[in-house]
Amino acid sequence: MKTNEKKILRRTAPVQATRMVEAIFGCKWSLTVFTLLTDGVNRPGEMVRSVDGLSTKVLNECLRRHIEFGILQKNSFAEIPPRVEYEFTPFGRKFLKVVGDIEQLQQDIGEAVDLPNSENRASEN
């Protein structure tokens, strides 16, 4: 006798997206670089001067990783002295929205966790 039970397959995280999110949130400078680009700071030298502790080497590694993921694109200009600027790709703008949603989720979690503690403190007084 056949049963009409539905079997649900175990879902796994998407490998590429997971690797990308881990790499970006694992790099302490990624979100800072995204903020700089959003604020219109798009040249590497200006980025390094804008953030204490950010070295050219670390910035270049960070920018290279974001280019590999397709979040940023590098624009080189044939000028003397050479000029390079970075900007978000269309995918990068979508990804930035996801990052914003994750940051909002973190804030919501923080507020939800703080809420019971603040209610307990109020009832103790």
Side-chain angles (χ1 to χ4, degrees), residues 14-103:
V15 176
Q16 289 178 320
T18 301
R19 187 174 81 83
M20 183 181 350
V21 170
E22 286 176 347
I24 288 168
F25 281 103
C27 172
K28 75 179 198 177
W29 297 110
S30 290
L31 298 178
T32 302
V33 169
F34 292 163
T35 301
L36 289 169
L37 287 167
T38 301
D39 292 344
V41 179
N42 57 3
R43 298 184 69 187
E46 190 177 1
M47 290 180 187
V48 170
R49 287 189 296 275
S50 297
V51 180
D52 286 334
L54 178 59
S55 69
T56 302
K57 178 185 177 221
V58 171
L59 175 63
N60 286 335
E61 289 171 2
C62 184
L63 292 170
R64 190 175 314 112
R65 186 177 316 114
H66 298 320
I67 290 169
E68 288 172 5
F69 287 136
I71 295 170
L72 299 179
Q73 76 178 27
K74 178 180 180 178
N75 299 319
S76 299
F77 298 90
E79 299 175 351
I80 297 179
R83 181 169 56 114
V84 174
E85 294 182 353
Y86 292 87
E87 65 181 348
F88 290 106
T89 62
F91 170 74
R93 286 189 285 281
K94 287 181 190 176
F95 185 78
L96 202 56
K97 289 178 186 174
V98 172
V99 169
D101 290 344
I102 292 171
E103 289 176 330

Side-chain angles (χ1 to χ4, degrees), residues 2 8 24 43 109 125:
K2 291 185 177 180
I8 298 173
I24 288 168
R43 298 184 69 187
I109 290 169
N125 292 333

